[in-house]
Amino acid sequence: VGGSGDGGGGGAAAQQQAGVPSHSAATGAHVPSPARATLLADLHRAYVKSLESDTSFEHAVSAHLRLSGVYWGLCAMATLGALEQMDCEGVAAWLLRCQHPCGGFGGDEGHDPHLLYTLSAVQIMCLLGRERELDGERIARYVANLQRPDGSFVGDEWGEVDTRFTYCALSCLNLLDQLHG
């Protein structure tokens, strides 16, 4: 393989054809490979679709992040005009099983509720056109209970304060038409 004297890697020309970044031998500086002119949309759609049936170790150990990952995958498919290729009925049913009696959503079934996943759940249902299936007032009470006396928000019952939680709270309430006051 190769034969260009670079240890068998095929040389800079072969790496650039394959889209692999190379380095200048003279300066050691990074020389970017030519940019691809088109998005490989069919491959991207197939990749996102393949995640529905992923049984890898990585998939199993990232269960606590699942709800946000589903949101980003659905956004990618919607952007590519392929949302209908996803199991939207199954997603909505699973998502509602992630909701707790307090109104918040966990990252997956059996996981504690958190503001980040609650926002992702609301965004997913909006993306699917099913936001009316949510109990907006119950979710709004959950979000309001995460606000501290100084106006900041925590993400969950454990009390971490972070500015992103303010964004999540306001976005969630706005999407549910529950931003009063």
Side-chain angles (χ1 to χ4, degrees), residues 87-153:
D87 178 9
C88 296
E89 287 292 321
V91 167
W94 163 78
L95 186 144
L96 292 174
R97 292 191 305 269
C98 295
Q99 189 172 26
H100 290 257
C102 66
F105 289 79
D108 200 352
E109 293 179 65
H111 291 259
D112 292 339
H114 195 284
L115 187 53
L116 293 171
Y117 304 121
T118 300
L119 174 59
S120 290
V122 170
Q123 289 171 318
I124 288 169
M125 292 301 271
C126 289
L127 187 63
L128 299 179
R130 299 176 72 148
E131 60 275 14
R132 287 185 172 78
E133 295 176 35
L134 297 172
D135 183 345
E137 289 181 10
R138 182 167 61 134
I139 296 169
R141 279 190 303 275
Y142 169 74
V143 172
N145 285 329
L146 295 173
Q147 189 172 23
R148 303 294 77 155
D150 67 358
S152 65
F153 284 85

Side-chain angles (χ1 to χ4, degrees), residues 47-68:
Y47 169 74
V48 173
K49 182 83 175 130
S50 76
L51 297 175
E52 284 184 320
S53 59
D54 191 348
T55 59
S56 69
F57 173 76
E58 291 82 5
H59 185 78
V61 298
S62 64
H64 63 289
L65 304 170
R66 187 83 59 240
L67 209 147
S68 291

